[in-house]
Amino acid sequence: MMDCIEYENYLVAAEDLSFGTEQVWKYDWFDLNTGTLIKRTEQPMPDGITNYSSDFVILDSGLWINRDLRQNKKDDRLAELNSRDEVLIRVPER
């Protein structure tokens, strides 16, 4: 599943990561009128973090994404749940 939002003249989609894949958040920017992929932007994901969900947010300062992050603590599920934090991150546009 991907989060999508209309932003300016684009449809922006945040690619969901599968567990164990590369630690990079990817954003696909499609032309809103033609559906053509215009560009892809990326940003590194912090080490030791799992992203459980996200929602786009449009602010006066641009496009942001609210991410639900947790520290990877495979041996201690309660500690992982206690590490949960929601973080607002600016989406790279270029």
Side-chain angles (χ1 to χ4, degrees):
M1 183 164 94
M2 299 177 106
D3 276 328
C4 297
I5 193 168
E6 287 184 26
Y7 177 68
E8 295 180 350
N9 293 320
Y10 298 100
L11 176 66
V12 184
E15 183 177 318
D16 266 351
L17 294 175
S18 300
F19 292 101
T21 63
E22 63 182 319
Q23 297 293 299
V24 177
W25 286 311
K26 298 177 182 178
Y27 306 94
D28 292 330
W29 297 73
F30 297 92
D31 180 282
L32 193 55
N33 296 316
T34 66
T36 305
L37 178 64
I38 301 298
K39 61 184 169 181
R40 171 177 274 178
T41 57
E42 299 179 349
Q43 63 190 160
M45 193 171 157
D47 288 336
I49 296 293
T50 301
N51 187 167
Y52 281 92
S53 64
S54 58
D55 295 300
F56 281 111
V57 180
I58 299 174
L59 301 174
D60 291 340
S61 58
L63 183 60
W64 295 72
I65 194 162
N66 185 31
R67 293 196 176 273
D68 179 4
L69 305 177
R70 297 178 193 159
Q71 293 179 2
N72 294 335
K73 300 198 183 264
K74 295 177 179 134
D75 57 335
D76 191 342
R77 179 74 172 140
L78 186 56
E80 180 179 322
L81 291 172
N82 285 334
S83 74
R84 180 180 181 265
D85 199 5
E86 289 188 36
V87 180
L88 196 59
I89 300 170
R90 186 168 182 131
V91 174
E93 296 184 28
R94 310 267 185 281

